Amino acid sequence: MDSNAKLEGGCSAPGPIFEQGTFAGKSTVAIATGIKDSGIEKTFIANDIFPAAARAVDSNTSTNVPYYWKTNLQNSSKVDFWIKNRRLAGKDKAQYEKVYAKFYDAPGGLLHVLYASLEMHGVTKYVSIVAGETLPPLLYQLFWTDSSHTISEIRANMDVWKHHTRSGQNTWYAFHDSSPANRDELTKNFKVVHSIIVDSIFVIEVSA
């Protein structure tokens, strides 16, 4: 069974639910479908920074956007990912063009790819989309994150996650593309009650 189908079937948290790193919306659709099928009204926030495409930024150097991909000026075979003029990561340009460019270069960019996916699956009304780095000030019961793939990213997010959890109530977290090192880091910093690995997803229940 596909990991996202499992996520959809297990999306029984009463909410609010926060998804960090929606990208094109595969997991967003799965969670929203789970909410739709439950028949229970829940708050579901889907979040991404929706960076501008390298092609658009490379061709317009005066573009003033906070989040973007850009071809490396010293090595044109690489593209760099920037957040507010801080280089965060890099990729081979060939990989970027093969896997990612079709989403970023689409009309309206990645955000409208997400909108289209939600509309196609009939779940738009079950999702509130938030762009940027700030979480809405809610107390979440489930965090689904596809943007904490390294220990440094986990550490950067840890205080934010803990600040948005409900006192006296356990919280569930699901981490996509988890590694043994990442799992060790999470279990060191959370009071983990239960944990399970589903394909590449690490799911934990954290004690209040």
Side-chain angles (χ1 to χ4, degrees), residues 9 12 41 53 67 72 103 119 125 173 178 186:
S12 57
E41 185 175 342
Y67 315 113
N72 187 293
F103 299 107
E119 282 290 318
K125 71 176 184 178
Y173 295 80
S178 66
L186 290 163

Side-chain angles (χ1 to χ4, degrees), residues 1-7 26 198-199:
M1 184 185 296
D2 179 80
S3 298
N4 285 289
K6 292 178 181 178
L7 178 63
K26 185 177 180 181
V198 184
D199 296 335

Side-chain angles (χ1 to χ4, degrees), residues 118-159:
L118 295 172
E119 282 290 318
M120 181 174 67
H121 290 90
V123 293
T124 302
K125 71 176 184 178
Y126 300 97
V127 185
S128 297
I129 300 172
V130 173
E133 299 173 81
T134 304
L135 280 68
L138 300 173
L139 300 177
Y140 300 96
Q141 193 162 15
L142 171 64
F143 286 88
W144 161 260
T145 175
D146 198 5
S147 62
S148 295
H149 301 130
T150 65
I151 289 176
S152 61
E153 288 175 334
I154 290 170
R155 290 174 179 172
N157 282 300
M158 189 67 66
D159 288 343

Side-chain angles (χ1 to χ4, degrees), residues 70-137:
K70 184 177 181 180
T71 299
N72 187 293
L73 296 178
Q74 282 72 48
N75 185 348
S76 61
S77 69
K78 304 285 185 181
V79 291
D80 296 328
F81 178 49
W82 293 79
I83 291 182
K84 296 178 179 176
N85 296 317
R86 177 171 57 92
R87 181 186 179 277
L88 193 68
K91 289 185 182 295
D92 287 334
K93 191 165 189 177
Q95 181 195 24
Y96 172 88
E97 292 290 347
K98 182 179 179 180
V99 179
Y100 300 99
K102 63 183 178 182
F103 299 107
Y104 295 120
D105 289 339
L110 184 61
L111 175 61
H112 283 263
V113 172
L114 174 60
Y115 280 137
S117 183
L118 295 172
E119 282 290 318
M120 181 174 67
H121 290 90
V123 293
T124 302
K125 71 176 184 178
Y126 300 97
V127 185
S128 297
I129 300 172
V130 173
E133 299 173 81
T134 304
L135 280 68

